[in-house]
Amino acid sequence: MEQLHTYLMLGAFMFCLGIFGLLQQSSLIGMLIATELILNGAALNFMAFNMFLSKDPVTGQAFTLFIMGVAAAEAAIALSIIITVYRKFRAIKPESVSELKG
Amino acid sequence: MTTIADFIPPIIVAQVAFWLMVVITIAGAVLAVTLPNILHNILGLALSMLGLTGIYLFLGSQFVAMMQLLIYVGAICITYIFAIMLSPPLELEIPKKPAVKVVTAFLVSVITFAGMVFMIFNLKTAPLANISRDWSVKTLGQQFFTKYFLVFELISLLLAIAIIGAIMIAGLGQKRD
C-alpha cells in the first residue's frame, strides 16, 4: 500500500482504459468520458511522484489542480461543440461528421 | 466502549479501505468505457472519481481530494448528465460498435499498458531521506499565491474564456438553425 508502484500501476491502468474507450466508442460524448479517464490517470501519477520522490511538496498537487481546471474548461467547450454538431448533422457518431464548411 | 480497533488492528482496516478504493476506481473506470448506455457511462465515471478521491486521501492531500470530489463528481459529471438529459442526442438509437474497432482498440491499449508496466518495473528510484510532508492547505495557498501566481491567474482566465466560448458556440448554432 505504501509503495510507489501500486499508484503508478493504477494510474497506468486508468490511462490505458481511457485509450481503449477513446478508440472503441462510437459516440462523441463517450469519447469525452474516456478523455476524463486519461487525464485522471496522469493526475494520479503526478500525485504519487509528488508523495514519494519530490522534495517540494506542492508541485504535484498544483499540477493536479491545474489538470482539474483544464478538464473543466475542456468539458464546457466540448459539450457545446457536441450539441452544435448534433444540431447540424442530427447525429453524434464521429463517422457521420465528415464534412466541413467555411 | 468497544470500537472496531479492539477486534481488527487499524493497519488492517487501512489496508482494506485502500484496496476497496482501488477496486471502486477500477470498477467505475471499466463501467465508464464498456456499458452501451451513455448515461450509465457517466455514472461509472462518477464512481471512478469517487474512488480516486479516497486514493488522494491515502496519498495525504485532503485539499486535492476535496477538489476532486467537488469538481469531478459535483461539477463535470453533473454537467454531462444535464447536457445529455436536456438535449436530444440520448433519444437517438445507440450506434453499434463494429467488432474490428473494439478488437483494434483493445490491442492498442493492451500494448500501451504492457509498455507502461515494463517501464514502471524498470524504474530505479532512490528514496529521499528527508521528504517534506507538509501538505497543509496553508502551505498550498502560500505557494499558489507566490510561486505559481501566474499559472493560477492564467487558469482562471482560461476558465472564463472557455465558459464564454461555450455560450457563444452553443448560442450561435441555435441562431443559425
Side-chain angles (χ1 to χ4, degrees):
Chain A
M1 161 183 155
E2 284 287 314
Q3 273 205 337
L4 181 59
H5 284 185
T6 317
Y7 296 100
L8 290 187
M9 287 291 283
L10 185 60
F13 186 75
M14 283 184 81
F15 187 88
C16 293
L17 214 56
I19 289 179
F20 173 66
L22 194 65
L23 290 178
Q24 59 102 36
Q25 267 294 341
S26 42
S27 80
L28 289 173
I29 297 181
M31 291 166 80
L32 205 56
I33 295 169
T35 316
E36 300 292 342
L37 280 182
I38 292 182
L39 286 175
N40 273 287
L44 181 59
N45 262 15
F46 274 114
M47 287 291 286
F49 277 122
N50 188 25
M51 166 88 172
F52 291 101
L53 295 176
S54 166
K55 278 207 171 69
D56 179 7
V58 180
T59 319
Q61 297 185 73
F63 238 107
T64 306
L65 290 171
F66 292 145
I67 287 176
M68 284 178 200
V70 172
E74 170 244 329
I77 290 282
L79 274 178
S80 67
I81 289 178
I82 288 172
I83 288 174
T84 312
V85 162
Y86 171 74
R87 282 207 198 102
K88 191 123 184 112
F89 295 92
R90 297 279 149 197
I92 49 170
K93 283 201 298 185
E95 285 91 359
S96 56
V97 187
S98 59
E99 58 181 49
L100 285 175
K101 235 188 312 188
Chain B
M1 203 181 103
T2 49
T3 56
I4 194 168
D6 293 342
F7 305 108
I8 313 166
I11 185 81
I12 304 281
V13 176
Q15 287 221 340
V16 168
F18 175 75
W19 289 109
L20 188 68
M21 285 300 160
V22 171
V23 166
I24 286 177
T25 309
I26 290 176
V30 170
L31 291 182
V33 294
T34 50
L35 289 183
N37 191 333
I38 295 176
L39 205 58
H40 297 166
N41 287 351
I42 297 173
L43 294 179
L45 180 71
L47 188 68
S48 178
M49 298 300 114
L50 201 67
L52 212 54
T53 305
I55 302 277
Y56 285 162
L57 279 181
F58 271 98
L59 278 172
S61 174
Q62 284 94 354
F63 183 69
V64 175
M66 286 307 120
M67 284 300 116
Q68 177 86 6
L69 196 64
L70 278 178
I71 295 177
Y72 271 107
V73 184
I76 293 183
C77 288
I78 299 298
T79 312
Y80 283 166
I81 288 177
F82 265 109
I84 285 174
M85 285 184 162
L86 291 178
S87 65
L90 194 65
E91 297 161 11
L92 294 172
E93 56 181 289
I94 294 151
K96 276 225 169 80
K97 298 167 189 166
V100 181
K101 205 172 160 184
V102 176
V103 170
T104 319
F106 186 73
L107 280 181
V108 170
S109 56
V110 163
I111 290 170
T112 318
F113 188 62
M116 281 183 171
V117 169
F118 181 71
M119 282 199 303
I120 288 171
F121 281 102
N122 281 344
L123 188 68
K124 295 270 185 296
T125 53
L128 290 180
N130 48 353
I131 303 178
S132 161
R133 287 284 170 86
D134 181 18
W135 286 35
S136 62
V137 182
K138 191 181 170 194
T139 323
L140 206 57
Q142 276 172 352
Q143 292 276 317
F144 263 117
F145 282 98
T146 52
K147 197 172 163 190
Y148 300 103
F149 187 66
L150 181 65
V151 196
F152 187 77
E153 291 296 321
L154 280 179
I155 283 286
S156 51
L157 187 67
L158 174 77
L159 275 174
I161 292 174
I163 290 168
I164 296 171
I167 294 171
M168 285 295 287
I169 291 172
L172 280 183
Q174 199 157 30
K175 213 178 282 174
R176 230 180 260 155
D177 246 1

